[in-house]
Amino acid sequence: IVFLSSLTTFAILFTDAFESVTPVTSFFESFSNVRKGYGSELNCKTVKNFSALTGGKYKTVNVNKELQMTVEKSDSFGMFETGYLSTGTKDQAYLSLRLAICELISEKENYPIFLDDALSNYDDIRTKTAVSFLNEYAKSGQVIMFTCHGNVKQNGIEIGANSKDLK
């Protein structure tokens, strides 16, 4: 099971599961090796997800070995760091990256993806788009999302996603 509440958590799980080492620095060394073979594929999967989550507003994403991204808008020229994005758009970028990494490590087996309030910084339009995207994404594997935000739950219910209240 891959829990994706943060990239740091993911880094620890990744190193434990695939390298049997616990220091997070080893993750970046492992990621560097993975990037040599899958770097362009990671960028392609990330940009596909990011474009879908943003309604096609971005056409290029580059992920470096520290998992930092630069992006390029569809209607302009030039790459810029995610630090220049709004909080909601930055969260969309990193959700896109986390899903792309999951796709790469689960090519042979589909693992469930757990998201813990991954849409908390999204406005209403981003939330609706993301919930719809995740519903489509879940057709190829299981996505379990925890949230305390009623609008996220309501958007899910409206598109037919299963919902369960935990008490």
Side-chain angles (χ1 to χ4, degrees):
I1 294 174
V2 178
F3 180 78
L4 298 175
S5 65
S6 70
L7 285 175
T8 303
T9 301
F10 179 77
I12 292 167
L13 289 172
F14 185 86
T15 55
D16 286 347
F18 295 96
E19 294 293 326
S20 298
V21 266
T22 52
V24 174
T25 54
S26 296
F27 167 74
F28 295 111
E29 292 168 12
S30 299
F31 183 74
S32 179
N33 292 333
V34 168
R35 237 181 109 49
K36 288 176 187 171
Y38 295 103
S40 63
E41 191 174 353
L42 178 64
N43 285 331
C44 289
K45 289 179 181 298
T46 302
V47 77
K48 178 186 69 114
N49 294 338
F50 191 44
S51 182
L53 283 169
T54 61
K57 290 182 182 175
Y58 293 86
K59 65 180 177 182
T60 306
V61 174
N62 287 317
V63 182
N64 69 21
K65 67 181 180 179
E66 287 84 27
L67 300 178
Q68 301 298 316
M69 290 187 280
T70 55
V71 298
E72 183 175 28
K73 284 187 135 183
S74 295
D75 63 356
S76 64
F77 178 76
M79 303 291 285
F80 54 94
E81 296 175 358
T82 56
Y84 294 102
L85 300 173
S86 69
T87 302
T89 305
K90 189 184 319 182
D91 282 359
Q92 288 173 312
Y94 282 100
L95 175 59
S96 300
L97 174 60
R98 293 187 316 233
L99 293 173
I101 291 170
C102 286
E103 291 170 33
L104 286 176
I105 65 173
S106 66
E107 283 184 335
K108 294 181 177 140
E109 288 185 54
N110 285 333
Y111 299 105
I113 297 174
F114 290 84
L115 301 170
D116 186 15
D117 260 339
L119 312 181
S120 62
N121 289 317
Y122 288 24
D123 59 29
D124 291 343
I125 294 169
R126 282 188 182 101
T127 299
K128 191 174 194 93
T129 302
V131 168
S132 179
F133 170 80
L134 289 169
N135 190 52
E136 281 298 309
Y137 190 89
K139 291 180 180 177
S140 63
Q142 189 175 24
V143 176
I144 299 170
M145 181 182 297
F146 297 94
T147 187
C148 64
H149 299 277
N151 64 330
V152 175
K153 176 185 172 185
Q154 188 58 40
N155 278 296
I157 291 170
E158 288 174 8
I159 61 168
N162 294 325
S163 174
K164 192 87 155 162
D165 287 331
L166 303 177
K167 298 183 187 223

